[in-house]
């Protein structure tokens, strides 16, 4: 098992990000979905934990198929999915990923959110970690992301928020920007296959790093879309996009609770983990890339909250 800690600062408060990460995950999941593929929401319901208190539980199935890089499609079945289970006790969350095709593969992520610039030490106080683990600071503005995921409108170096007046972000922004918060993520990757374990775990961490950067960049770049939304409004947006996404990929939408956490009924809301970004096309060194295969067209245009309401009114 390879354990790393990532710290990602944002020019937001933790209360602002609570809404922003729910909105971003829902919008991104819808963007990445198309007929027969994408993110299927299986459960989204309140959940009471004896230690962490009231929270929200989410279970999703990420149907991949053509969204996999070419090298991975050559060695995996045509139909399989990744299961994401998330327990959101904001500002603390837990997310687990398992694969239907690889039972010995798993990713476990603990996340804590604090209003600081990432200077809290040993924030997880975890007795599961033996010895030191690597700590990486990720800069949403100046760390590189894969070129295929770059969008100029989502570049924090150029983006300026009309509603909050924040941005663009300049060199050294983490030292002088107010407000500022940090996502602390303790990521454990396990792939128990002899001869491949080290290389696969290292490669998965590289993919996770890219996903974290892209997801947090989008959360800030979309701030004018979600800024000012209440938790009730973002839960409604989350429900509507989940139903639209399940319909888009050819699935019957499950009954989804949008009750705010703290209700007396025991139940699990959207995970606070980073969005499910497609895996990298870059093959790891230990696999030889086969012939390239044509990819499907990109996902349809995202449905915004007003558009969803208009559609519901028309129906």
């Amino acid at each position: 098992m390879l354990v790393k800690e990532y710290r990602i600062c944002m020019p937001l408060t933790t209360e602002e990000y609570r809404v922003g990460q729910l909105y971003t995950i829902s919008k991104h999941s819808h963007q990445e979905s198309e007929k027969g593929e994408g993110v299927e929401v299986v459960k989204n319901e309140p959940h009471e934990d004896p230690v962490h208190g009231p929270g929200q539980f989410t279970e999703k199935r990420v149907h991949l198929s053509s969204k996999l890089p070419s090298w991975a499609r050559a060695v995996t079945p045509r139909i399989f999915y990744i299961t994401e289970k998330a327990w959101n006790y904001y500002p603390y969350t837990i997310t687990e990923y398992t694969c239907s095709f690889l039972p010995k593969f798993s990713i476990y992520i603990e996340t804590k959110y604090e209003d600081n610039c990432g200077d809290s030490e040993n924030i997880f106080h975890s007795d599961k970690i033996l010895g030191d683990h690597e700590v990486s600071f990720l800069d949403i503005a100046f760390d590189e992301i894969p070129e295929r995921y770059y969008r100029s409108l989502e570049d924090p170096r150029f983006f300026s928020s009309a509603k909050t007046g924040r941005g663009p972000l300049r060199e050294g922004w983490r030292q002088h920007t107010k407000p500022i918060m940090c996502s602390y993520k303790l990521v454990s990757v396990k792939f128990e296959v002899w001869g491949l374990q080290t290389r696969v775990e290292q490669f998965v961490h590289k993919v996770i790093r890219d996903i974290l950067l892209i997801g947090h960049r989008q959360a800030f770049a979309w701030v004018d879309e979600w800024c000012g939304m209440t938790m009730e409004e973002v839960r409604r947006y989350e429900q509507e996009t989940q139903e639209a996404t399940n319909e888009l990929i050819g699935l019957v939408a499950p009954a989804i609770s949008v009750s705010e956490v703290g209700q007396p009924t025991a139940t699990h809301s959207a995970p606070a983990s980073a969005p499910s970004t497609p895996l990298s096309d870059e093959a790891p060194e230990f696999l030889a890339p086969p012939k390239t295969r044509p990819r499907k067209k990109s996902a349809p245009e995202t449905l915004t909250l007003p558009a969803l309401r208009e559609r519901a009114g028309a129906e």
Side-chain angles (χ1 to χ4, degrees):
M1 182 170 64
L2 182 59
V3 180
K4 294 186 180 183
E5 181 182 331
Y6 299 93
R7 301 181 184 181
I8 313 102
C9 291
M10 298 281 284
L12 305 167
T13 66
T14 55
E15 279 306 303
E16 289 173 330
Y17 188 68
R18 184 180 187 181
V19 171
Q21 55 96 5
L22 290 173
Y23 178 91
T24 301
I25 292 170
S26 296
K27 176 177 176 177
H28 184 93
S29 296
H30 186 78
Q31 282 183 330
E32 293 301 322
S33 300
E34 55 187 288
K35 189 67 174 178
E37 295 195 345
V39 183
E40 170 197 1
V41 181
V42 179
K43 292 182 181 179
N44 188 355
E45 56 191 24
H47 173 70
E48 185 79 25
D49 184 84
V51 176
H52 305 294
Q56 198 86 1
F57 171 76
T58 305
E59 180 178 346
K60 299 179 180 180
R61 289 180 179 177
V62 184
H63 298 269
L64 297 173
S65 298
S66 69
K67 293 188 180 295
L68 283 175
S70 56
W71 61 265
R73 292 200 305 269
V75 297
T76 56
R78 287 182 59 84
I79 301 176
F80 80 103
Y81 56 86
I82 289 175
T83 297
E84 175 193 272
K85 293 183 179 180
W87 295 263
N88 188 344
Y89 311 104
Y90 200 87
Y92 173 70
T93 67
I94 302 170
T95 312
E96 293 180 342
Y97 295 91
T98 54
C99 180
S100 61
F101 173 61
L102 299 171
K104 294 186 178 181
F105 170 75
S106 64
I107 302 172
Y108 183 86
I109 302 174
E110 289 183 76
T111 304
K112 289 188 177 182
Y113 303 95
E114 287 193 348
D115 286 309
N116 56 49
C117 60
D119 54 3
S120 292
E121 297 300 327
N122 195 24
I123 189 173
F124 293 99
H125 304 288
S126 178
D127 55 3
K128 295 177 293 184
I129 305 174
L130 301 178
D132 296 331
H133 62 276
E134 179 182 335
V135 177
S136 297
F137 285 84
L138 305 185
D139 190 327
I140 64 170
F142 293 94
D143 282 359
E144 292 185 359
I145 63 172
E147 185 176 354
R148 60 191 166 279
Y149 298 134
Y150 178 81
R151 304 289 183 272
S152 59
L153 295 177
E154 298 174 0
D155 192 332
R157 296 173 300 172
F158 309 115
F159 170 75
S160 179
S161 168
K163 289 187 177 180
T164 67
R166 300 171 200 170
L169 302 183
R170 306 302 184 191
E171 284 280 6
W173 67 272
R174 289 180 295 179
Q175 281 68 50
H176 56 73
T177 297
K178 298 293 181 182
I180 193 166
M181 59 153 291
C182 184
S183 299
Y184 295 82
K185 292 185 175 289
L186 188 65
V187 182
S188 304
V189 177
K190 182 163 59 176
F191 185 67
E192 298 176 327
V193 176
W194 186 86
L196 293 177
Q197 180 172 358
T198 300
R199 286 174 289 181
V200 169
E201 291 176 351
Q202 290 174 344
F203 174 72
V204 171
H205 268 285
K206 177 182 179 299
V207 174
I208 290 173
R209 175 194 176 278
D210 292 340
I211 290 174
L212 293 176
L213 278 172
I214 294 165
H216 285 78
R217 284 164 65 100
Q218 289 176 331
F220 176 53
W222 297 343
V223 64
D224 287 345
E225 299 178 29
W226 56 261
C227 182
M229 294 178 72
T230 64
M231 284 299 296
E232 182 181 9
E233 289 172 331
V234 78
R235 291 295 188 202
R236 189 181 307 119
Y237 172 80
E238 179 185 48
Q239 178 189 16
E240 292 171 344
T241 53
Q242 287 171 358
E243 292 173 349
T245 300
N246 282 2
E247 180 180 351
L248 186 64
I249 63 176
L251 297 163
V252 177
I256 298 172
S257 169
V258 291
S259 302
E260 189 52 36
V261 296
Q263 296 241 334
T265 53
T267 36
H268 304 249
S269 188
S273 59
S276 302
T277 302
L279 296 177
S280 170
D281 251 347
E282 180 183 348
E285 296 178 357
F286 55 91
L287 290 175
K291 296 180 180 179
T292 57
R293 302 180 185 179
R295 291 178 173 273
K296 292 187 178 180
K297 294 181 180 179
S298 59
E301 184 178 349
T302 302
L303 294 176
T304 62
L305 182 57
L308 286 166
R309 287 175 175 168
E310 290 177 6
R311 189 183 74 171
E315 293 174 352

